[in-house]
Amino acid sequence: MAAVPLPPFDPADPLGIDDLLSPEDLAVRETMRKWAADRVLPEVAGWYERGELPEIRELARELGALGALGMTLEGYGCAGASAVQYGLACLELEAADSGIRSLVSVQGSLAMYALHRFGSEETKREWLPRMASGEVIGCFGLTEPDHGSDPGGMRTRARRDGGDWVLSGRKMWITNGSVAGVAVVWARTEEGIRGFAVPTDTPGFAAPEIRHKWSLRASVTSELILDEVRLPAGALLPGAEGLRAPLACLGHARYGIVWGAMGAARSCFRAALDYARTREQFGRPIGGFQLTQAKLADMALELNKGLLLAHHLGRRLDAGRLRPEQVSFGKLNNVREALEICRTARTVLGANGISLEYPVMRHATNLESVLTYEGTSEMHQLVLGKALTGLDAFRG
């Protein structure tokens, strides 16, 4: 049998991971990559420097037209894409900026996912088609000022008053909050934790934007204030009972982060690789020095291991076999390694690494937020520790 010629080595895909992707997968990736290159990359450094995302409503409508909002959901104008295709979209969006991927994740994996899975048919029809198109932006109100990693301790309350519900409390660090048309809010009731679809024009609802951030600056982050917000009975999400409901939404969002973090890492790795090929010191490109090559090799190693992990988890999700503990593997590893890739890339770029002319410092600071939200590294370590030992370290 004649030997089959080996394909050439591709520095952009050293392990041949593209061979695992279908033509449809590759088409989704190319569409999102082109959109990000055209609409985000030319402006994002300026948005980040000014601490604003001025075109968020226009961007949301464009993303809706691409089918990127509620991408894996079925019906109601949603694309019904595979988990791998959604992951590839997150990868390309976060390669541009974590704030853009956060916009899509909160819209689709948190707010829309909650309404789709737990809402009444009336609620789904009211909100999901407009959210899928980007006409309405959603947010997800779970975290509170004093309750982040322990959402079960939330103080936001919902009480019955005749046929209505009345909500009071505060939520913190809420992406999209100030521009949302609907907020999915979790509150403690006499029957336990329940979810509500809250139109943001309801009297008593306010969402002041959080300023003075040094991370996710090209993103809208807000506080939610609910002061005796009166809602009709239909605002309750009937399928959401207890803390398992919001945690299921978080699991879906964490999956997108597994891919997205590798997008930020890829952007930094490629910036370092390009720089190493052209930046000269001591009479030759720095990429020709052993220490620089060691850094590039290590970055490529962790980047492509992370991509393989993301792909594996995506295939398991598409097969209906992805466990929450496996998502914790992905979130813990990929965000942690993405940060290390960013920091190493910064050293390759030297002083230029802190300039917004390059994407490295912007991604590094963004990833500090990604490391914390949707479960800190410590919480995912404890999830895995419990799964491995059978012993629960969360409670004393």
Side-chain angles (χ1 to χ4, degrees):
M1 181 180 295
V4 177
L6 291 175
F9 182 83
D10 182 1
D13 183 22
L15 294 181
I17 297 174
D18 280 6
D19 292 348
L20 303 175
L21 304 177
S22 70
E24 292 77 14
D25 298 337
L26 293 170
V28 167
R29 186 181 70 180
E30 182 58 31
T31 296
M32 299 311 302
R33 182 178 294 179
K34 185 178 187 307
W35 180 84
D38 292 343
R39 288 292 285 119
V40 179
L41 290 180
E43 303 291 341
V44 69
W47 295 338
Y48 182 92
E49 190 166 28
R50 295 190 298 273
E52 62 182 11
L53 187 57
E55 301 179 36
I56 185 170
R57 297 186 189 280
E58 293 84 351
L59 295 173
R61 286 192 287 269
E62 292 173 23
L63 288 162
L66 293 175
L69 303 179
M71 193 169 174
T72 63
L73 303 178
E74 299 282 351
Y76 308 98
C78 301
S82 73
V84 168
Q85 289 167 1
Y86 172 59
L88 290 166
C90 289
L91 176 80
E92 296 303 328
L93 293 172
E94 193 145 359
D97 193 80
S98 300
I100 303 300
R101 197 268 308 145
S102 294
L103 163 64
V104 170
S105 288
V106 170
Q107 179 83 346
S109 291
L110 291 179
M112 292 178 68
Y113 182 84
L115 297 176
H116 191 276
R117 181 167 176 179
F118 302 117
S120 67
E121 186 62 30
E122 181 181 0
T123 296
K124 295 176 187 178
R125 290 178 178 174
E126 178 181 5
W127 294 111
L128 288 176
R130 291 186 290 158
M131 296 175 77
S133 70
E135 177 188 347
V136 171
I137 294 174
C139 67
F140 187 85
L142 179 64
T143 298
E144 296 189 355
D146 297 319
H147 297 282
S149 294
D150 181 20
M154 71 176 64
R155 296 175 182 172
T156 299
R157 302 282 174 170
R159 71 175 193 277
R160 295 183 186 272
D161 186 13
D164 295 341
W165 288 94
V166 179
L167 275 63
S168 293
R170 295 170 62 204
K171 303 293 182 179
M172 197 70 173
W173 304 115
I174 308 303
T175 298
N176 301 345
S178 303
V179 295
V182 62
V184 174
V185 175
W186 303 91
R188 185 175 298 281
T189 73
E190 290 184 355
E191 297 83 26
I193 292 171
R194 305 300 300 269
F196 298 85
V198 182
T200 59
D201 59 359
T202 306
F205 182 95
E209 189 169 353
I210 296 172
R211 301 288 186 178
H212 310 299
K213 300 179 299 177
W214 286 113
S215 180
L216 291 179
R217 290 175 58 78
S219 177
V220 174
T221 310
S222 313
E223 180 183 6
L224 304 185
I225 300 172
L226 299 105
D227 182 9
E228 295 289 290
V229 173
R230 182 173 292 273
L231 302 171
L236 178 74
L237 305 184
E241 297 185 18
L243 198 57
R244 288 185 180 272
L247 292 182
C249 302
L250 291 176
H252 200 262
R254 287 166 182 157
Y255 165 75
I257 290 172
V258 175
W259 286 88
M262 290 295 98
R266 188 191 72 190
S267 179
C268 293
F269 168 70
R270 291 186 177 178
L273 181 61
D274 290 344
Y275 191 85
R277 287 167 169 163
T278 58
R279 170 70 167 176
E280 292 193 1
Q281 291 288 284
F282 304 102
R284 59 190 176 117
I286 62 173
F289 291 97
Q290 291 180 4
L291 288 177
T292 302
Q293 289 194 359
K295 292 177 181 181
L296 294 170
D298 286 346
M299 285 190 282
L301 190 69
E302 296 305 328
L303 170 61
N304 286 277
K305 283 161 60 178
L307 290 171
L308 282 173
L309 175 56
H311 183 272
H312 173 68
L313 297 183
R315 294 300 184 206
R316 290 191 66 82
L317 181 54
D318 279 326
R321 295 179 57 80
L322 183 64
R323 291 190 55 83
E325 298 91 343
Q326 293 165 343
V327 180
S328 287
F329 264 97
K331 207 270 186 178
L332 176 62
N333 180 81
N334 283 14
V335 180
R336 191 162 62 185
E337 295 306 323
L339 260 172
E340 186 59 32
I341 289 169
C342 290
R343 291 165 181 159
T344 303
R346 210 288 305 158
T347 70
V348 173
L349 270 69
N352 283 323
I354 70 168
S355 169
L356 281 177
E357 295 298 318
Y358 299 90
V360 175
M361 187 59 75
R362 174 168 53 84
H363 281 302
T365 57
N366 283 340
L367 283 171
E368 291 292 346
S369 290
V370 180
L371 187 72
T372 296
Y373 68 36
E374 317 295 3
T376 65
S377 292
E378 293 83 357
M379 296 305 292
H380 289 294
Q381 287 174 317
L382 294 180
V383 168
L384 295 176
K386 179 182 176 181
L388 293 168
T389 66
L391 303 173
D392 190 347
F394 287 95
R395 309 289 182 189

